[in-house]
Amino acid sequence: MEKYYQPEIECASVEQIKAWQNEKIVKQVKHVYENVPYYRNLMEEKGVTPDDIKSVDDIYKLPFLTKADLRDAYPYGLLAKPLSDCVRIQSTSGTTGKRVVAFYTQHDVDLWEECCARAIVAVGGTEEDVCQVAYGYGLFTGGPGLNGGSHKVGCLTLPMSSGNTERQIDFMRDLRSTILCCTPSYAHYIGETLHEMGLSADDIHLKAGIFGAEPWTEEMRRNIEKMLGIKAYDIYGLTETSGPGVSFECSAQSGMHINEDHFYAEIIDPDTGEVLPEGEKGELVFTSLDKEAFPLLRYRTRDICILRREKCSCGRTHIKMCKPMGRSDDMLIIRGVNVFPSQIETVLLKEGYAANYQIVVDRVGSTDTFDVYVEVTEDQFSDTVRELTAMERKLADAMKTMLGINPKVHLVEPKSIVRSEGKAKRVIDNRKLHD
């Protein structure tokens, strides 16, 4: 029997969902217009006022927000509440090292945690469960979001964070964890470690996993399910809109239900910005309907996907998004971390190198490999092997500081990176991320 955290919302009629959205969008546009000068200017440039927005059908009249806007307005330019009303920030790295900082009032934190609670109940979670949260804590939204959701459901929560895998498994066995929340690649690594310790799925008590923050394939899902003896569910979110829990998979495992009472989703043509009909593939755009501190209107996620509203065997009525099928920009997600080629360029130029480089990403087993090849000048290349090794190490450290993730840096001869039409291909992603 399917259970819901908030059945009256999750199984509401489509008419009711639309009524909530219409009421909230009118209030939200007014709130943003009156309290966020940055967005008010964008609206004025487009000749739109809050009076033009009478329902979500008018949302197409509003200007888009992009990552570039978040960077330009950093840190307080998109804040819609006094700082004294805010109780939390979460953050993600930005394209050139400037972070995206999202603010939360207590009301915003509660809504976010409710969304995560819905995801936990959708995988069968109840107050009888032991929920092991092995997403990173701190500024990253994964740990805090699922931690709060687990509390709301009433699970015994193990706030493990990521890493120290043998200890994870010891706790998992001793406290009989039933739900695991982490990135899919870390779940896979836990599975591998379990088997290296001479144990199997029979030695643990997990029944479900909630995995997100990076792309993963159906093949990886099946491997994780087999290794850990669980059902593996997808969850989606962005720091900009709150964090994980914007959408989540149910027992049908056929796409993620978007929490439409809090987030209004559109699919647009990434080139023209035109709104596409349901079922068409395009770029996902989100509007926060009731966030107070950091309410983004028509935020372009750059994720390419499809929205479909269809009758679901789980009984939930909220529209579903498919797993993102790629990006409309050049962002890579490596081991759960957002990496932009422009960040690599920034480091190279700062460290005195020309921006002739190539990023090669692959996946060995369950772990992403991340290599950066950098061309050096003739005089740099004449240095000794020892000096080159020291230079590689220094550059790798600078990149780790910028990205929060360790690349393997290779200094290579001038002109050795293959160019087509005079341009080096910046990114080679050999991971098989889609079936």
Side-chain angles (χ1 to χ4, degrees):
M1 174 73 184
E2 192 81 33
K3 287 200 168 64
Y4 316 96
Y5 182 66
Q6 293 164 310
E8 67 293 349
I9 296 172
E10 295 173 68
C11 303
S13 69
V14 175
E15 295 69 33
Q16 177 61 69
I17 294 169
K18 189 94 186 275
W20 286 328
Q21 290 179 331
N22 289 341
E23 187 188 335
K24 288 180 177 187
I25 192 67
V26 171
K27 275 192 195 152
Q28 188 69 298
V29 171
K30 195 169 180 295
H31 171 57
V32 171
Y33 189 83
E34 288 171 0
N35 295 292
V36 184
Y38 187 97
Y39 197 78
R40 182 166 63 241
N41 291 340
L42 292 180
M43 283 176 69
E44 283 169 356
E45 278 169 27
K46 244 193 140 185
V48 192
T49 71
D51 295 340
D52 296 317
I53 311 299
K54 305 212 169 14
S55 74
V56 284
D57 294 337
D58 296 320
I59 210 165
Y60 72 92
K61 298 173 183 173
L62 292 170
F64 292 114
L65 276 172
T66 65
K67 198 77 153 230
D69 291 307
L70 270 60
R71 206 165 56 237
D72 293 346
Y74 173 89
Y76 300 126
L78 290 166
L79 191 59
K81 280 280 191 185
L83 266 183
S84 55
D85 290 356
C86 299
V87 298
R88 170 100 66 89
I89 69 150
Q90 301 285 164
S91 176
T92 175
S93 64
T95 49
T96 53
K98 241 194 202 173
R99 295 187 161 274
V100 169
V101 174
F103 297 85
Y104 301 72
T105 61
Q106 188 55 51
H107 161 270
D108 296 337
V109 172
D110 289 339
L111 291 188
W112 175 26
E113 291 179 349
E114 274 176 14
C115 289
C116 290
R118 291 178 194 177
I120 291 168
V121 174
V123 309
T126 70
E127 67 278 1
E128 303 294 325
D129 280 288
V130 178
C131 186
Q132 185 156 334
V133 183
Y135 281 111
Y137 278 68
L139 291 169
F140 177 61
T141 53
L146 272 304
N147 192 90
S150 176
H151 278 227
K152 284 233 188 294
V153 175
C155 306
L156 175 64
T157 309
L158 306 189
M160 298 292 296
S161 197
S162 52
N164 208 331
T165 308
E166 291 198 7
R167 189 179 67 175
Q168 297 267 6
I169 292 168
D170 289 343
F171 267 94
M172 195 179 280
R173 296 181 73 205
D174 296 345
L175 292 165
R176 303 172 79 89
S177 305
T178 50
I179 298 171
L180 175 65
C181 306
C182 61
T183 61
S185 55
Y186 191 51
H188 199 282
Y189 185 67
I190 289 174
E192 288 174 340
T193 308
L194 185 75
H195 290 269
E196 281 164 16
M197 289 166 73
L199 303 168
S200 74
D202 295 336
D203 296 297
I204 55 175
H205 303 87
L206 291 179
K207 63 179 185 183
I210 298 176
F211 307 131
E214 64 187 12
W216 54 310
T217 60
E218 287 302 315
E219 181 188 22
M220 192 165 180
R221 188 205 300 259
R222 289 189 290 274
N223 284 346
I224 292 169
E225 289 186 333
K226 196 170 157 200
M227 284 198 289
L228 296 176
I230 60 173
K231 267 191 92 169
Y233 298 86
D234 213 342
I235 192 167
Y236 174 90
L238 313 135
T239 302
E240 297 91 323
T241 54
S242 67
V246 170
S247 66
F248 59 88
E249 268 189 329
C250 61
S251 54
Q253 290 180 302
S254 61
M256 293 171 274
H257 289 284
I258 293 170
N259 284 308
E260 287 190 279
D261 52 323
H262 300 310
F263 306 101
Y264 183 75
E266 306 168 82
I267 293 287
I268 63 164
D269 179 314
D271 298 323
T272 66
E274 178 201 353
V275 180
L276 300 174
E278 190 185 307
E280 296 266 317
K281 183 164 99 170
E283 183 183 337
L284 185 59
V285 172
F286 275 119
T287 293
S288 309
L289 293 170
D290 42 19
K291 266 196 85 171
E292 293 178 337
F294 197 69
L296 299 187
L297 303 182
R298 299 199 85 200
Y299 180 67
R300 294 185 61 161
T301 66
R302 301 293 178 187
D303 283 323
I304 301 295
C305 81
I306 295 167
L307 296 179
R308 283 202 181 93
R309 192 183 299 282
E310 52 201 4
K311 197 169 163 56
C312 187
S313 58
C314 77
R316 288 176 183 80
T317 49
H318 293 223
I319 201 164
K320 277 185 183 175
M321 59 179 274
C322 73
K323 198 187 265 292
M325 303 149 98
R327 304 269 312 168
S328 69
D329 64 6
D330 58 357
M331 187 182 91
L332 289 159
I333 301 177
I334 304 171
R335 296 179 219 143
V337 176
N338 298 353
V339 174
F340 290 85
S342 53
Q343 291 173 302
I344 304 273
E345 263 174 52
T346 304
V347 173
L348 290 177
L349 297 170
K350 209 167 154 189
E351 296 291 322
Y353 293 85
N356 293 324
Y357 66 95
Q358 190 168 62
I359 301 165
V360 180
V361 189
D362 210 335
R363 187 164 279 171
V364 177
S366 64
T367 308
D368 291 336
T369 60
F370 176 25
D371 293 81
V372 182
Y373 294 84
V374 180
E375 287 186 358
V376 292
T377 58
E378 294 287 356
D379 53 336
Q380 282 172 322
F381 201 73
S382 61
D383 292 339
T384 65
V385 171
R386 186 185 296 138
E387 282 169 330
L388 282 174
T389 306
M391 286 158 68
E392 284 174 343
R393 195 170 300 127
K394 184 168 181 275
L395 201 45
D397 288 345
M399 287 183 193
K400 184 175 190 237
T401 302
M402 166 70 90
L403 305 168
I405 181 173
N406 245 329
K408 190 161 175 29
V409 171
H410 311 264
L411 294 180
V412 296
E413 290 180 53
K415 308 257 185 312
S416 61
I417 293 174
V418 179
R419 288 160 171 72
S420 56
E421 298 161 31
K423 279 188 190 168
K425 191 176 177 201
R426 292 278 173 247
V427 178
I428 297 175
D429 192 341
N430 293 320
R431 296 171 297 179
K432 185 174 173 286
L433 297 177
H434 306 287
D435 295 333

